[in-house]
Amino acid sequence: MNEVKEALRTIEQHYKLFLQQQFTFIAALQHTRENAHDMIRPVASIGQVQSYMDHYCNNSTDRRILNMFLSICNDLSKLCHKLEAVHPGNSTTNGILERCKLLLSHSNDLSTIRAKYPHDVVNHLSCDEAKNHYGGVVSLIPIVLDCMKEWLNHTEKLPRHMLHNVSGRSALSEKRAPEDEPARAAISQNPPSVHPEAQTSISNKDCVQVQGSKHVRKKHPNDTENHNGKLKSPWKPPGRHAF
């Protein structure tokens, strides 16, 4: 989900740059329509803009702004596929995605769509431009962005186990991964090394203190203790006696 949000933020930043150049975009459409002798019909599809740029664009400024528009549309189309990967869909979210796909289809007729408040892209056009030529094409991107934000709002209300990231893992397992990290790190750590002085101290534990300052000999593995707690050497057979 975070990857989808980041992708949407990136597209919005690109669109803000494009929006600052709307007059350049309209001028580029005007020039290419004149070169194509296509001044009557409205600019009504993404495919039409693509055709103008490929065949009737004569300067780098027009080509740059037309390509920017087409690039944003392409990024939005790719994001639609990511949205499908994140959530298998219910009737509401599937309906929103289907509308986005339809709007971003290269052959879809955009002439009747209009971006409404708070978007003011149509208000920057003259009445003739808005009604007869460019009202639909300038409204496309803001309408699709609104649809994707609506999709996110609906999806975030769903249970987390229904969501998946774009690589196919569940969001729940993705959430648990950071929590399991400290345990894995603790297991993978090497045991602390023992200082030589500590080893000496450990070996001296075999020496038992009696009455504070008096030491007895080091306990042998075969030694046993009597009922008073004193060390008792193992039994040895008596030696031979000379006759």
Side-chain angles (χ1 to χ4, degrees):
M1 182 63 75
N2 290 335
E3 188 175 345
V4 169
K5 290 180 179 179
E6 183 60 32
L8 185 58
R9 279 194 293 267
T10 301
I11 295 173
E12 286 183 305
Q13 291 300 319
H14 291 165
Y15 176 63
K16 287 178 181 178
L17 294 176
F18 174 79
L19 195 57
Q20 296 170 4
Q21 306 172 72
Q22 179 170 317
F23 291 115
T24 305
F25 178 59
I26 298 303
L29 290 175
Q30 183 71 13
H31 298 157
T32 52
R33 288 172 68 234
E34 289 173 355
N35 294 338
H37 304 288
D38 190 16
M39 297 296 292
I40 297 176
R41 64 175 180 151
V43 180
S45 70
I46 297 174
Q48 194 174 342
V49 177
Q50 182 78 58
S51 177
Y52 287 158
M53 188 187 75
D54 291 343
H55 304 293
Y56 303 104
C57 191
N58 295 333
N59 66 73
S60 59
T61 301
D62 292 350
R63 182 175 297 278
R64 177 189 60 79
I65 195 65
L66 294 178
N67 186 65
M68 191 174 185
F69 170 81
L70 294 170
S71 178
I72 294 172
C73 292
N74 186 53
D75 290 342
L76 288 169
S77 182
K78 289 179 180 178
L79 186 55
C80 278
H81 295 292
K82 284 188 177 182
L83 298 184
E84 287 181 311
V86 168
H87 174 46
N90 57 29
S91 58
T92 302
T93 57
N94 283 343
I96 295 171
L97 278 184
E98 287 304 314
R99 188 179 184 216
C100 288
K101 290 178 182 178
L102 178 62
L103 290 170
L104 294 169
S105 171
H106 276 220
S107 59
N108 182 57
D109 186 355
L110 307 173
S111 59
T112 59
I113 68 171
R114 294 293 183 273
K116 295 179 172 58
Y117 181 83
H119 304 293
D120 59 356
V121 288
V122 178
N123 295 337
H124 292 165
L125 303 174
S126 68
C127 290
D128 179 60
E129 287 175 339
K131 183 178 180 180
N132 299 317
H133 302 295
Y134 311 119
V137 72
V138 299
S139 298
L140 172 62
I141 295 175
I143 289 177
V144 174
L145 285 174
D146 284 348
C147 286
M148 290 188 172
K149 290 176 184 177
E150 183 183 358
W151 184 94
L152 280 173
N153 289 336
H154 282 287
T155 304
E156 287 180 336
K157 297 174 184 177
L158 297 172
R160 290 188 63 83
H161 71 271
M162 296 182 66
L163 305 179
H164 297 78
N165 67 13
V166 293
S167 62
R169 292 186 304 166
S170 69
L172 185 59
S173 63
E174 190 175 295
K175 179 182 178 183
R176 285 177 178 170
E179 296 176 357
D180 295 339
E181 200 64 35
R184 288 198 298 270
I187 294 171
S188 64
Q189 283 181 347
N190 293 325
S193 60
V194 180
H195 195 274
E197 294 179 0
Q199 293 176 339
T200 304
S201 174
I202 293 171
S203 65
N204 289 338
K205 287 182 181 179
D206 290 335
C207 184
V208 182
Q209 285 191 355
V210 179
Q211 295 179 355
S213 61
K214 185 178 178 181
H215 288 75
V216 300
R217 64 179 177 79
K218 185 177 178 181
K219 183 178 178 181
H220 191 276
N222 294 326
D223 288 350
T224 60
E225 294 183 0
N226 61 17
H227 65 278
N228 292 324
K230 295 181 179 180
L231 295 177
K232 181 179 178 183
S233 298
W235 175 83
K236 296 180 180 179
R240 281 184 164 182
H241 297 280
F243 294 99

